[in-house]
Amino acid sequence: MGDQDESSSSSFSMGKSAQERGLSYVPECYVIPTSHRARLTPQVAPVPIIDFGKFKRGSDQERAVVIQEIRTACRQLGFFNIINHGIHKSVLDGALSMASEFFELPGSEKAKFMCNDVHKPVRYGTSFKDGVDEFQFWRVFLKHYAHPLDKWINSWPNNPPNYRETMGEYCREVMKLSLEITSAITESLGIGPTYLTKKMENGMQVVTVNGYPPCPKPEMALGLPPHSDYTCFTIVLQSFPGLEILHAEDGKWNLVPQLESALQVLIGDHFEVLSNGLYKSVVHRATLNTERTRTSIASLHSLGIDEKMGTAKELVSEEQPQRYRESSFRDFLNFLSANAIAEGKSFINSLKLV
């Protein structure tokens, strides 16, 4: 989550967004059709919980069980929670705290990073656009590239004063975890644990820090529209529930429950391509509430910006012909610049051959 923008063709207002003004009503440009609205009391998703400690430190038998659990989760939902992932709770809490502190800064401070160019490696935005004729979402965000960390960290905000140090520690730990998750997923596909190791070590980590302010009528708007992520996968940390996933079989939206210190893993478009459709990228959205700002940190992991992801040849046969064309992170950015994601344009659909 977090790779979808509503900013590709419009300029941002340099003032406060509608959300930040504390409006007592929902402006018409935020109101979504009744058929697309979230329920105030959504059904909670039966999300698989993967004990990642058993993958890293367990017996061969325990490790094999975890691999099978990941395989099942990726085939059925494209989504799972992981616990015992090795990142200390203080690191998770520190990252969420920095996210909240950044969004609480004066508008003039955040505006230093305001930009509507999706190719920029560091940028801040709100969904508020000049004019009222374009559809908007109830969200503010900060995006920055994060790997290799020493290349990008000095371009991040230095206010709050500890942002770079605290968020940098989180990004470093999540990057290490992402390589372990990659190994587990490729092993679960039967193509081996080192299939993508080198490419992911040299790949992209894009971190999207999201803020979803209180909304007076949360059922009438969304923080993010339904979408799948262009990445191999996304690792999400959220302050409290608000992430919903679409169950492919029954077409119903389910709320992802909160688990203490857990992280969420969302399969992205490029792993759907790699798996030749065996694993599906999960469609998800961000919902709102009336009480407080929800923050989430989405760490999106992919190959290098111009490295093409194609289907593993081991997963192609006469019975299972190749179903997708290859693409890169830059291809996605170009797609995002030219298409209205909020209107239902899908990057993964543009890759399908059959």
Side-chain angles (χ1 to χ4, degrees), residues 153-210:
I153 194 169
N154 290 329
S155 62
W156 295 2
N158 57 9
N159 191 14
N162 295 327
Y163 185 90
R164 292 178 183 176
E165 177 184 0
T166 303
M167 192 65 74
E169 183 180 10
Y170 174 75
C171 292
R172 187 182 299 110
E173 290 296 309
V174 170
M175 184 64 201
K176 285 165 43 180
L177 176 62
S178 76
L179 298 177
E180 296 170 332
I181 292 173
T182 298
S183 177
I185 291 176
T186 58
E187 185 172 349
S188 75
L189 275 171
I191 55 179
T194 62
Y195 188 89
L196 285 179
T197 301
K198 290 299 182 183
K199 289 184 177 182
M200 292 296 277
E201 285 176 350
N202 297 319
M204 300 287 295
Q205 179 188 21
V206 181
V207 171
T208 302
V209 183
N210 297 297

Tab-separated table of all heavy atoms in Angstrom, residues 153-210:
chain	number	residue	atom	x	y	z
A	153	ILE	N	19.468	8.948	2.900
A	153	ILE	CA	18.999	9.439	4.199
A	153	ILE	C	19.220	10.930	4.385
A	153	ILE	O	18.415	11.613	5.030
A	153	ILE	CB	19.640	8.621	5.351
A	153	ILE	CG1	18.900	8.902	6.674
A	153	ILE	CG2	21.135	8.892	5.458
A	153	ILE	CD1	19.272	7.958	7.786
A	154	ASN	N	20.283	11.481	3.815
A	154	ASN	CA	20.552	12.910	4.003
A	154	ASN	C	19.603	13.807	3.215
A	154	ASN	O	19.609	15.034	3.398
A	154	ASN	CB	22.003	13.229	3.641
A	154	ASN	CG	22.976	12.664	4.652
A	154	ASN	OD1	22.669	12.550	5.837
A	154	ASN	ND2	24.156	12.282	4.194
A	155	SER	N	18.802	13.216	2.347
A	155	SER	CA	17.784	13.997	1.619
A	155	SER	C	16.420	13.939	2.310
A	155	SER	O	15.488	14.626	1.891
A	155	SER	CB	17.663	13.494	0.181
A	155	SER	OG	17.249	12.137	0.139
A	156	TRP	N	16.302	13.146	3.371
A	156	TRP	CA	15.055	13.065	4.129
A	156	TRP	C	14.870	14.327	4.970
A	156	TRP	O	15.813	15.087	5.203
A	156	TRP	CB	15.084	11.865	5.065
A	156	TRP	CG	15.122	10.518	4.431
A	156	TRP	CD1	15.178	10.207	3.104
A	156	TRP	CD2	15.136	9.275	5.130
A	156	TRP	NE1	15.219	8.845	2.929
A	156	TRP	CE2	15.196	8.248	4.164
A	156	TRP	CE3	15.106	8.927	6.468
A	156	TRP	CZ2	15.218	6.896	4.508
A	156	TRP	CZ3	15.125	7.583	6.823
A	156	TRP	CH2	15.173	6.575	5.839
A	157	PRO	N	13.673	14.525	5.519
A	157	PRO	CA	13.473	15.638	6.452
A	157	PRO	C	14.407	15.515	7.662
A	157	PRO	O	14.676	14.408	8.149
A	157	PRO	CB	12.009	15.478	6.883
A	157	PRO	CG	11.364	14.730	5.766
A	157	PRO	CD	12.411	13.792	5.248
A	158	ASN	N	14.923	16.662	8.112
A	158	ASN	CA	15.697	16.670	9.364
A	158	ASN	C	14.899	17.304	10.494
A	158	ASN	O	15.440	17.648	11.535
A	158	ASN	CB	17.041	17.370	9.176
A	158	ASN	CG	16.893	18.792	8.675
A	158	ASN	OD1	15.779	19.319	8.620
A	158	ASN	ND2	17.999	19.417	8.309
A	159	ASN	N	13.636	17.489	10.263
A	159	ASN	CA	12.699	17.948	11.275
A	159	ASN	C	11.453	17.065	11.186
A	159	ASN	O	10.876	16.958	10.087
A	159	ASN	CB	12.330	19.413	11.029
A	159	ASN	CG	11.568	20.033	12.180
A	159	ASN	OD1	11.528	19.479	13.277
A	159	ASN	ND2	10.971	21.200	11.936
A	160	PRO	N	11.063	16.371	12.264
A	160	PRO	CA	11.596	16.364	13.617
A	160	PRO	C	13.093	16.027	13.666
A	160	PRO	O	13.593	15.295	12.801
A	160	PRO	CB	10.765	15.266	14.323
A	160	PRO	CG	9.537	15.099	13.479
A	160	PRO	CD	9.965	15.384	12.087
A	161	PRO	N	13.784	16.528	14.681
A	161	PRO	CA	15.243	16.389	14.741
A	161	PRO	C	15.745	14.949	14.685
A	161	PRO	O	16.824	14.695	14.136
A	161	PRO	CB	15.598	17.049	16.078
A	161	PRO	CG	14.486	18.013	16.335
A	161	PRO	CD	13.258	17.359	15.788
A	162	ASN	N	14.998	14.003	15.221
A	162	ASN	CA	15.440	12.604	15.240
A	162	ASN	C	14.854	11.773	14.111
A	162	ASN	O	14.965	10.548	14.121
A	162	ASN	CB	15.072	11.950	16.584
A	162	ASN	CG	15.814	12.570	17.748
A	162	ASN	OD1	16.961	12.999	17.609
A	162	ASN	ND2	15.171	12.641	18.900
A	163	TYR	N	14.227	12.441	13.137
A	163	TYR	CA	13.544	11.672	12.089
A	163	TYR	C	14.501	10.752	11.348
A	163	TYR	O	14.225	9.556	11.180
A	163	TYR	CB	12.842	12.610	11.100
A	163	TYR	CG	12.021	11.860	10.071
A	163	TYR	CD1	10.686	11.560	10.317
A	163	TYR	CD2	12.583	11.417	8.870
A	163	TYR	CE1	9.928	10.846	9.400
A	163	TYR	CE2	11.833	10.703	7.944
A	163	TYR	CZ	10.519	10.424	8.214
A	163	TYR	OH	9.782	9.696	7.314
A	164	ARG	N	15.602	11.283	10.873
A	164	ARG	CA	16.514	10.469	10.070
A	164	ARG	C	17.071	9.295	10.856
A	164	ARG	O	17.117	8.162	10.361
A	164	ARG	CB	17.657	11.335	9.536
A	164	ARG	CG	17.211	12.373	8.512
A	164	ARG	CD	18.373	13.235	8.055
A	164	ARG	NE	17.933	14.272	7.115
A	164	ARG	CZ	18.728	15.212	6.619
A	164	ARG	NH1	20.016	15.256	6.982
A	164	ARG	NH2	18.246	16.113	5.770
A	165	GLU	N	17.475	9.543	12.076
A	165	GLU	CA	18.061	8.472	12.886
A	165	GLU	C	17.028	7.396	13.210
A	165	GLU	O	17.280	6.191	13.020
A	165	GLU	CB	18.621	9.055	14.187
A	165	GLU	CG	19.197	8.006	15.129
A	165	GLU	CD	19.654	8.599	16.452
A	165	GLU	OE1	19.520	9.839	16.632
A	165	GLU	OE2	20.128	7.836	17.314
A	166	THR	N	15.852	7.815	13.672
A	166	THR	CA	14.839	6.858	14.121
A	166	THR	C	14.193	6.120	12.945
A	166	THR	O	14.074	4.888	12.958
A	166	THR	CB	13.759	7.581	14.948
A	166	THR	OG1	14.383	8.258	16.046
A	166	THR	CG2	12.739	6.596	15.477
A	167	MET	N	13.778	6.856	11.928
A	167	MET	CA	13.169	6.206	10.773
A	167	MET	C	14.220	5.406	9.999
A	167	MET	O	13.909	4.354	9.427
A	167	MET	CB	12.508	7.235	9.868
A	167	MET	CG	11.598	6.625	8.795
A	167	MET	SD	10.142	5.761	9.467
A	167	MET	CE	9.132	7.159	9.979
A	168	GLY	N	15.456	5.893	10.008
A	168	GLY	CA	16.529	5.162	9.342
A	168	GLY	C	16.772	3.799	9.967
A	168	GLY	O	16.999	2.809	9.255
A	169	GLU	N	16.723	3.732	11.295
A	169	GLU	CA	16.894	2.442	11.973
A	169	GLU	C	15.777	1.482	11.587
A	169	GLU	O	16.015	0.295	11.316
A	169	GLU	CB	16.926	2.637	13.487
A	169	GLU	CG	17.173	1.341	14.259
A	169	GLU	CD	17.210	1.551	15.763
A	169	GLU	OE1	16.859	2.657	16.232
A	169	GLU	OE2	17.581	0.584	16.478
A	170	TYR	N	14.541	2.007	11.543
A	170	TYR	CA	13.417	1.162	11.144
A	170	TYR	C	13.599	0.656	9.710
A	170	TYR	O	13.431	-0.536	9.436
A	170	TYR	CB	12.109	1.933	11.274
A	170	TYR	CG	10.913	1.168	10.746
A	170	TYR	CD1	10.356	0.111	11.471
A	170	TYR	CD2	10.355	1.482	9.505
A	170	TYR	CE1	9.282	-0.602	10.979
A	170	TYR	CE2	9.269	0.768	9.011
A	170	TYR	CZ	8.742	-0.271	9.744
A	170	TYR	OH	7.691	-0.995	9.246
A	171	CYS	N	13.942	1.547	8.799
A	171	CYS	CA	14.101	1.158	7.389
A	171	CYS	C	15.211	0.124	7.220
A	171	CYS	O	15.084	-0.810	6.418
A	171	CYS	CB	14.393	2.391	6.538
A	171	CYS	SG	13.006	3.531	6.399
A	172	ARG	N	16.289	0.298	7.954
A	172	ARG	CA	17.398	-0.662	7.874
A	172	ARG	C	16.949	-2.054	8.334
A	172	ARG	O	17.254	-3.059	7.681
A	172	ARG	CB	18.554	-0.177	8.732
A	172	ARG	CG	19.831	-1.002	8.592
A	172	ARG	CD	20.924	-0.501	9.511
A	172	ARG	NE	21.300	0.877	9.218
A	172	ARG	CZ	21.038	1.922	9.994
A	172	ARG	NH1	20.347	1.754	11.129
A	172	ARG	NH2	21.423	3.139	9.666
A	173	GLU	N	16.220	-2.105	9.435
A	173	GLU	CA	15.749	-3.388	9.956
A	173	GLU	C	14.733	-4.039	9.016
A	173	GLU	O	14.744	-5.256	8.798
A	173	GLU	CB	15.139	-3.190	11.341
A	173	GLU	CG	16.139	-2.844	12.432
A	173	GLU	CD	17.128	-3.964	12.671
A	173	GLU	OE1	16.699	-5.117	12.864
A	173	GLU	OE2	18.344	-3.693	12.638
A	174	VAL	N	13.835	-3.228	8.457
A	174	VAL	CA	12.837	-3.772	7.542
A	174	VAL	C	13.488	-4.275	6.257
A	174	VAL	O	13.061	-5.291	5.689
A	174	VAL	CB	11.746	-2.710	7.244
A	174	VAL	CG1	10.837	-3.163	6.116
A	174	VAL	CG2	10.915	-2.453	8.488
A	175	MET	N	14.532	-3.596	5.800
A	175	MET	CA	15.232	-4.057	4.600
A	175	MET	C	15.851	-5.433	4.831
A	175	MET	O	15.762	-6.325	3.967
A	175	MET	CB	16.308	-3.043	4.207
A	175	MET	CG	17.024	-3.385	2.909
A	175	MET	SD	15.912	-3.356	1.484
A	175	MET	CE	16.837	-4.367	0.320
A	176	LYS	N	16.445	-5.634	5.979
A	176	LYS	CA	17.008	-6.953	6.307
A	176	LYS	C	15.908	-8.004	6.336
A	176	LYS	O	16.063	-9.106	5.802
A	176	LYS	CB	17.711	-6.891	7.665
A	176	LYS	CG	19.055	-6.178	7.628
A	176	LYS	CD	19.575	-5.797	8.992
A	176	LYS	CE	19.418	-6.855	10.048
A	176	LYS	NZ	19.957	-6.411	11.372
A	177	LEU	N	14.777	-7.660	6.946
A	177	LEU	CA	13.657	-8.589	7.015
A	177	LEU	C	13.125	-8.902	5.621
A	177	LEU	O	12.752	-10.043	5.325
A	177	LEU	CB	12.550	-7.995	7.884
A	177	LEU	CG	11.251	-8.787	7.991
A	177	LEU	CD1	11.489	-10.155	8.625
A	177	LEU	CD2	10.209	-7.997	8.799
A	178	SER	N	13.112	-7.903	4.737
A	178	SER	CA	12.569	-8.107	3.390
A	178	SER	C	13.348	-9.166	2.622
A	178	SER	O	12.774	-9.922	1.825
A	178	SER	CB	12.569	-6.796	2.610
A	178	SER	OG	13.865	-6.445	2.164
A	179	LEU	N	14.645	-9.244	2.832
A	179	LEU	CA	15.463	-10.261	2.149
A	179	LEU	C	15.116	-11.659	2.658
A	179	LEU	O	15.083	-12.625	1.880
A	179	LEU	CB	16.941	-9.965	2.348
A	179	LEU	CG	17.431	-8.631	1.765
A	179	LEU	CD1	18.904	-8.404	2.095
A	179	LEU	CD2	17.212	-8.580	0.261
A	180	GLU	N	14.825	-11.763	3.956
A	180	GLU	CA	14.411	-13.053	4.511
A	180	GLU	C	13.033	-13.452	3.993
A	180	GLU	O	12.789	-14.622	3.682
A	180	GLU	CB	14.415	-12.967	6.040
A	180	GLU	CG	15.795	-12.734	6.629
A	180	GLU	CD	15.760	-12.407	8.107
A	180	GLU	OE1	14.748	-11.845	8.589
A	180	GLU	OE2	16.755	-12.695	8.796
A	181	ILE	N	12.135	-12.476	3.887
A	181	ILE	CA	10.800	-12.762	3.345
A	181	ILE	C	10.900	-13.179	1.884
A	181	ILE	O	10.225	-14.119	1.437
A	181	ILE	CB	9.883	-11.536	3.503
A	181	ILE	CG1	9.585	-11.291	4.989
A	181	ILE	CG2	8.571	-11.728	2.735
A	181	ILE	CD1	8.825	-9.997	5.252
A	182	THR	N	11.733	-12.499	1.123
A	182	THR	CA	11.944	-12.874	-0.279
A	182	THR	C	12.382	-14.320	-0.388
A	182	THR	O	11.861	-15.087	-1.213
A	182	THR	CB	13.009	-11.963	-0.923
A	182	THR	OG1	12.554	-10.612	-0.903
A	182	THR	CG2	13.274	-12.380	-2.363
A	183	SER	N	13.345	-14.705	0.440
A	183	SER	CA	13.849	-16.076	0.432
A	183	SER	C	12.744	-17.076	0.733
A	183	SER	O	12.624	-18.113	0.066
A	183	SER	CB	14.979	-16.212	1.461
A	183	SER	OG	15.450	-17.537	1.544
A	184	ALA	N	11.902	-16.755	1.725
A	184	ALA	CA	10.815	-17.668	2.100
A	184	ALA	C	9.793	-17.795	0.973
A	184	ALA	O	9.303	-18.893	0.681
A	184	ALA	CB	10.146	-17.165	3.375
A	185	ILE	N	9.478	-16.673	0.321
A	185	ILE	CA	8.453	-16.714	-0.723
A	185	ILE	C	8.949	-17.450	-1.962
A	185	ILE	O	8.221	-18.270	-2.542
A	185	ILE	CB	7.986	-15.289	-1.069
A	185	ILE	CG1	7.203	-14.698	0.116
A	185	ILE	CG2	7.096	-15.294	-2.317
A	185	ILE	CD1	6.775	-13.255	-0.076
A	186	THR	N	10.179	-17.189	-2.396
A	186	THR	CA	10.681	-17.897	-3.584
A	186	THR	C	10.857	-19.387	-3.292
A	186	THR	O	10.623	-20.224	-4.165
A	186	THR	CB	11.996	-17.288	-4.096
A	186	THR	OG1	12.990	-17.310	-3.064
A	186	THR	CG2	11.776	-15.868	-4.580
A	187	GLU	N	11.225	-19.717	-2.063
A	187	GLU	CA	11.306	-21.142	-1.703
A	187	GLU	C	9.912	-21.763	-1.733
A	187	GLU	O	9.737	-22.902	-2.187
A	187	GLU	CB	11.928	-21.309	-0.326
A	187	GLU	CG	12.158	-22.766	0.056
A	187	GLU	CD	12.952	-22.950	1.338
A	187	GLU	OE1	13.521	-21.954	1.842
A	187	GLU	OE2	13.008	-24.097	1.834
A	188	SER	N	8.907	-21.016	-1.287
A	188	SER	CA	7.540	-21.547	-1.294
A	188	SER	C	7.026	-21.759	-2.711
A	188	SER	O	6.127	-22.571	-2.938
A	188	SER	CB	6.598	-20.608	-0.524
A	188	SER	OG	6.295	-19.446	-1.266
A	189	LEU	N	7.588	-21.033	-3.677
A	189	LEU	CA	7.219	-21.209	-5.085
A	189	LEU	C	7.929	-22.386	-5.733
A	189	LEU	O	7.612	-22.759	-6.869
A	189	LEU	CB	7.563	-19.937	-5.876
A	189	LEU	CG	6.528	-18.820	-5.874
A	189	LEU	CD1	7.123	-17.571	-6.516
A	189	LEU	CD2	5.258	-19.245	-6.595
A	190	GLY	N	8.908	-22.954	-5.029
A	190	GLY	CA	9.648	-24.085	-5.570
A	190	GLY	C	10.801	-23.689	-6.477
A	190	GLY	O	11.333	-24.539	-7.205
A	191	ILE	N	11.195	-22.404	-6.450
A	191	ILE	CA	12.302	-21.966	-7.310
A	191	ILE	C	13.563	-21.665	-6.508
A	191	ILE	O	14.545	-21.156	-7.060
A	191	ILE	CB	11.896	-20.740	-8.160
A	191	ILE	CG1	11.385	-19.603	-7.278
A	191	ILE	CG2	10.839	-21.136	-9.184
A	191	ILE	CD1	10.984	-18.337	-8.057
A	192	GLY	N	13.535	-21.976	-5.205
A	192	GLY	CA	14.732	-21.887	-4.386
A	192	GLY	C	14.828	-20.609	-3.573
A	192	GLY	O	14.345	-19.551	-3.993
A	193	PRO	N	15.471	-20.678	-2.392
A	193	PRO	CA	15.531	-19.529	-1.486
A	193	PRO	C	16.446	-18.401	-1.949
A	193	PRO	O	16.363	-17.292	-1.420
A	193	PRO	CB	16.045	-20.151	-0.175
A	193	PRO	CG	16.806	-21.358	-0.598
A	193	PRO	CD	16.070	-21.889	-1.804
A	194	THR	N	17.345	-18.654	-2.900
A	194	THR	CA	18.278	-17.606	-3.332
A	194	THR	C	17.941	-17.068	-4.725
A	194	THR	O	18.743	-16.344	-5.321
A	194	THR	CB	19.717	-18.154	-3.333
A	194	THR	OG1	19.810	-19.252	-4.268
A	194	THR	CG2	20.116	-18.640	-1.955
A	195	TYR	N	16.775	-17.397	-5.245
A	195	TYR	CA	16.413	-17.056	-6.620
A	195	TYR	C	16.532	-15.557	-6.907
A	195	TYR	O	16.978	-15.153	-7.988
A	195	TYR	CB	14.986	-17.534	-6.903
A	195	TYR	CG	14.553	-17.407	-8.341
A	195	TYR	CD1	14.779	-18.437	-9.251
A	195	TYR	CD2	13.934	-16.258	-8.811
A	195	TYR	CE1	14.388	-18.331	-10.578
A	195	TYR	CE2	13.538	-16.134	-10.140
A	195	TYR	CZ	13.768	-17.180	-11.014
A	195	TYR	OH	13.399	-17.065	-12.328
A	196	LEU	N	16.136	-14.722	-5.935
A	196	LEU	CA	16.156	-13.271	-6.152
A	196	LEU	C	17.080	-12.527	-5.187
A	196	LEU	O	17.073	-11.290	-5.156
A	196	LEU	CB	14.741	-12.696	-6.002
A	196	LEU	CG	13.754	-12.936	-7.138
A	196	LEU	CD1	12.404	-12.315	-6.776
A	196	LEU	CD2	14.246	-12.343	-8.446
A	197	THR	N	17.872	-13.251	-4.423
A	197	THR	CA	18.637	-12.626	-3.339
A	197	THR	C	19.471	-11.446	-3.817
A	197	THR	O	19.373	-10.330	-3.288
A	197	THR	CB	19.538	-13.663	-2.653
A	197	THR	OG1	18.729	-14.708	-2.125
A	197	THR	CG2	20.319	-13.011	-1.517
A	198	LYS	N	20.310	-11.644	-4.809
A	198	LYS	CA	21.216	-10.589	-5.268
A	198	LYS	C	20.444	-9.408	-5.846
A	198	LYS	O	20.777	-8.245	-5.607
A	198	LYS	CB	22.192	-11.143	-6.302
A	198	LYS	CG	23.227	-12.095	-5.735
A	198	LYS	CD	24.103	-11.397	-4.699
A	198	LYS	CE	25.168	-12.351	-4.164
A	198	LYS	NZ	25.979	-11.680	-3.087
A	199	LYS	N	19.411	-9.699	-6.628
A	199	LYS	CA	18.646	-8.624	-7.252
A	199	LYS	C	17.902	-7.784	-6.204
A	199	LYS	O	17.798	-6.563	-6.343
A	199	LYS	CB	17.663	-9.191	-8.271
A	199	LYS	CG	18.334	-9.723	-9.537
A	199	LYS	CD	17.314	-10.190	-10.553
A	199	LYS	CE	18.002	-10.638	-11.841
A	199	LYS	NZ	17.031	-11.062	-12.874
A	200	MET	N	17.400	-8.432	-5.149
A	200	MET	CA	16.705	-7.675	-4.115
A	200	MET	C	17.697	-6.910	-3.236
A	200	MET	O	17.391	-5.811	-2.751
A	200	MET	CB	15.840	-8.603	-3.262
A	200	MET	CG	14.655	-9.197	-4.017
A	200	MET	SD	13.437	-7.977	-4.564
A	200	MET	CE	12.465	-7.775	-3.060
A	201	GLU	N	18.876	-7.460	-3.035
A	201	GLU	CA	19.903	-6.733	-2.297
A	201	GLU	C	20.274	-5.441	-3.007
A	201	GLU	O	20.629	-4.440	-2.369
A	201	GLU	CB	21.155	-7.602	-2.125
A	201	GLU	CG	21.010	-8.707	-1.085
A	201	GLU	CD	22.231	-9.601	-1.019
A	201	GLU	OE1	23.120	-9.480	-1.907
A	201	GLU	OE2	22.323	-10.421	-0.087
A	202	ASN	N	20.207	-5.452	-4.322
A	202	ASN	CA	20.516	-4.271	-5.121
A	202	ASN	C	19.262	-3.530	-5.585
A	202	ASN	O	19.337	-2.671	-6.464
A	202	ASN	CB	21.329	-4.679	-6.350
A	202	ASN	CG	22.670	-5.270	-5.980
A	202	ASN	OD1	23.337	-4.777	-5.068
A	202	ASN	ND2	23.074	-6.326	-6.659
A	203	GLY	N	18.128	-3.877	-4.979
A	203	GLY	CA	16.851	-3.354	-5.438
A	203	GLY	C	16.405	-2.096	-4.741
A	203	GLY	O	17.195	-1.377	-4.113
A	204	MET	N	15.110	-1.814	-4.842
A	204	MET	CA	14.506	-0.584	-4.334
A	204	MET	C	13.770	-0.847	-3.019
A	204	MET	O	13.121	-1.879	-2.853
A	204	MET	CB	13.499	-0.042	-5.348
A	204	MET	CG	14.069	0.297	-6.710
A	204	MET	SD	15.067	1.794	-6.696
A	204	MET	CE	13.810	3.023	-6.298
A	205	GLN	N	13.881	0.103	-2.121
A	205	GLN	CA	13.014	0.191	-0.945
A	205	GLN	C	12.440	1.594	-0.929
A	205	GLN	O	13.177	2.568	-0.775
A	205	GLN	CB	13.783	-0.083	0.351
A	205	GLN	CG	12.914	0.013	1.608
A	205	GLN	CD	13.727	-0.073	2.900
A	205	GLN	OE1	14.937	0.176	2.903
A	205	GLN	NE2	13.074	-0.423	3.993
A	206	VAL	N	11.151	1.695	-1.135
A	206	VAL	CA	10.453	2.985	-1.105
A	206	VAL	C	9.534	2.983	0.112
A	206	VAL	O	8.673	2.111	0.237
A	206	VAL	CB	9.643	3.223	-2.391
A	206	VAL	CG1	8.944	4.578	-2.338
A	206	VAL	CG2	10.542	3.135	-3.625
A	207	VAL	N	9.733	3.938	0.992
A	207	VAL	CA	8.948	3.999	2.224
A	207	VAL	C	7.912	5.118	2.104
A	207	VAL	O	8.245	6.263	1.793
A	207	VAL	CB	9.860	4.237	3.437
A	207	VAL	CG1	9.037	4.532	4.689
A	207	VAL	CG2	10.739	3.005	3.662
A	208	THR	N	6.659	4.754	2.310
A	208	THR	CA	5.558	5.720	2.294
A	208	THR	C	4.991	5.835	3.701
A	208	THR	O	4.497	4.857	4.264
A	208	THR	CB	4.452	5.279	1.328
A	208	THR	OG1	4.995	5.122	0.020
A	208	THR	CG2	3.352	6.322	1.270
A	209	VAL	N	5.100	7.026	4.256
A	209	VAL	CA	4.567	7.326	5.582
A	209	VAL	C	3.218	8.010	5.371
A	209	VAL	O	3.147	9.087	4.779
A	209	VAL	CB	5.530	8.240	6.357
A	209	VAL	CG1	5.014	8.486	7.774
A	209	VAL	CG2	6.937	7.638	6.392
A	210	ASN	N	2.153	7.370	5.807
A	210	ASN	CA	0.794	7.846	5.561
A	210	ASN	C	0.149	8.393	6.827
A	210	ASN	O	0.321	7.836	7.910
A	210	ASN	CB	-0.090	6.696	5.053
A	210	ASN	CG	0.374	6.138	3.733
A	210	ASN	OD1	0.381	6.831	2.722
A	210	ASN	ND2	0.765	4.874	3.726
